[in-house]
Amino acid sequence: MKRNMLKDYKEQIQDADLVLVGIGRELRADRVIDFKKAITNEHYQNLIGKEDEDSKWMRTVYEREYLLSMKETDLFKELEEVLEGKEYFVVTSNDDGLLYHTHLKKDHVTAPCGNGDFFQCSAPCDEQLYPANLGLRDLIDYYEKTGKIEHLECPKCGKQLIFNVRTEETKSIYIEGAYLNSWASYTKWLQNTLNKKLFILELGEGFEVPSLFRWPFEKMAFYNEKATFVRVHHSLYQIGKEIKEKGIGIKMDSRDF
């Protein structure tokens, strides 16, 4: 195989029985959306450039509200086109929820690091999750009326609510309940990949959460005799010698690919 763009793999993807896609940090929202241009609200614009913790928090509130209120996006249009008519599953380490605003099958997407749909207690005092939409709008309305930046409190213990997303800072307290159903569907889907012609496409995943799909994808490519593996990353594109006969590492930013 040679170094090509995504469209150049369409024939191989269409020829596969199953397609497994991993979406990593190169394709996260803050790299594919210019929030400074997308959010024209003057209050948000006035927060740009301010690096105190409250201002950064409020920018995040506006950005999360923007992402949750998005209608369909064409940011993954090319991926949608090459997957059309195929049996596939998509797993992402991003927590922006972008994939749920595409034409991809929602029940064939899993986001184990969260998607910004919920708040959780920062303690956490229990496993309760709180829908984020109303809380975000309340925070924005209060800020725009008073100029004051506030946080939401857990109704049970009074601790601060935080986004239900997995980061380096929150991984020890991250409540996993929101994604477990989609993860169960994913693991069930994976059981049917053995001895099938499987095309594995890994886009933009470095070593942020390698155990999520970077290492598992390599393992699947190794054990499946009919697998084809394509890894795309601007610097961490290398693949092990054990699977070089089955795949290629492409040195390219996944957005360009």
Side-chain angles (χ1 to χ4, degrees):
M1 287 183 289
K2 61 180 181 178
R3 181 182 186 274
N4 285 323
M5 306 293 280
L6 176 58
K7 62 183 180 181
D8 297 309
Y9 290 97
K10 184 172 183 178
E11 187 174 327
Q12 286 179 271
I13 289 172
Q14 288 299 313
D15 185 54
D17 297 321
L18 301 168
V19 184
L20 178 58
V21 182
I23 302 289
R25 303 300 170 86
E26 282 189 338
L27 293 170
R28 66 184 186 267
D30 63 350
R31 295 201 77 224
V32 297
I33 298 174
D34 186 344
F35 286 117
K36 293 179 183 179
K37 292 182 179 179
I39 305 176
T40 57
N41 180 293
E42 63 176 323
H43 297 279
Y44 173 80
Q45 291 291 322
N46 290 336
L47 291 166
I48 295 173
K50 297 180 179 178
E51 293 305 313
D52 60 281
E53 290 303 313
D54 278 347
S55 295
K56 288 193 285 187
W57 159 251
M58 202 63 216
R59 282 202 302 273
T60 301
V61 168
Y62 274 99
E63 290 162 6
R64 288 286 180 184
E65 202 259 352
Y66 175 85
L67 290 169
L68 287 177
S69 63
M70 284 178 70
K71 300 196 185 305
E72 291 179 346
T73 177
D74 61 359
L75 290 169
F76 292 90
K77 184 178 180 180
E78 289 184 53
L79 181 63
E80 294 168 10
E81 289 175 352
V82 300
L83 292 177
E84 187 174 358
K86 297 305 300 179
E87 178 63 33
Y88 63 82
F89 219 105
V90 182
V91 56
T92 181
S93 58
N94 295 331
D95 60 30
D96 47 44
L98 275 181
L99 293 174
Y100 294 102
H101 298 276
T102 68
H103 291 285
L104 295 171
K105 294 180 285 189
K106 308 303 182 292
D107 59 347
H108 281 240
V109 174
T110 186
C113 294
N115 58 24
D117 276 354
F118 299 99
F119 285 115
Q120 67 165 78
C121 177
S122 58
C125 62
D126 64 12
E127 298 291 305
Q128 182 69 44
L129 297 176
Y130 304 91
N133 261 330
L134 292 177
L136 292 172
R137 179 38 54 185
D138 287 344
L139 289 169
I140 289 171
D141 287 345
Y142 184 78
Y143 172 64
E144 293 184 355
K145 288 176 182 176
T146 68
K148 297 178 181 178
I149 296 173
E150 291 291 344
H151 294 265
L152 298 175
E153 293 182 353
C154 173
K156 295 185 178 180
C157 72
K159 295 283 188 179
Q160 187 172 302
L161 290 181
I162 59 174
F163 286 106
N164 175 233
V165 295
R166 184 189 186 280
T167 66
E168 276 301 307
E169 292 74 29
T170 65
K171 62 184 180 182
S172 63
I173 58 172
Y174 174 53
I175 296 173
E176 298 183 319
Y179 79 86
L180 292 181
N181 285 339
S182 64
W183 186 259
S185 297
Y186 172 54
T187 54
K188 184 177 180 180
W189 186 89
L190 287 178
Q191 293 171 8
N192 296 318
T193 61
L194 200 59
N195 295 320
K196 296 285 182 66
K197 193 181 291 185
L198 176 66
F199 191 97
I200 305 172
L201 178 63
E202 182 186 299
L203 299 172
E205 180 67 5
F207 281 97
E208 292 88 0
V209 197
S211 60
L212 181 57
F213 59 81
R214 185 181 177 96
W215 294 337
F217 279 14
E218 291 177 353
K219 187 175 180 179
M220 278 183 264
F222 178 77
Y223 283 109
N224 189 322
E225 293 296 330
K226 300 177 182 178
T228 299
F229 181 40
V230 176
R231 167 174 284 158
V232 185
H233 194 275
H234 79 282
S235 60
L236 299 170
Y237 58 90
Q238 300 84 357
I239 61 175
K241 61 182 181 180
E242 301 86 357
I243 54 175
K244 279 194 177 292
E245 296 300 315
K246 298 178 179 179
I248 185 173
I250 299 177
K251 185 180 181 181
M252 182 185 290
D253 192 300
S254 297
R255 294 175 299 177
D256 300 326
F257 180 79

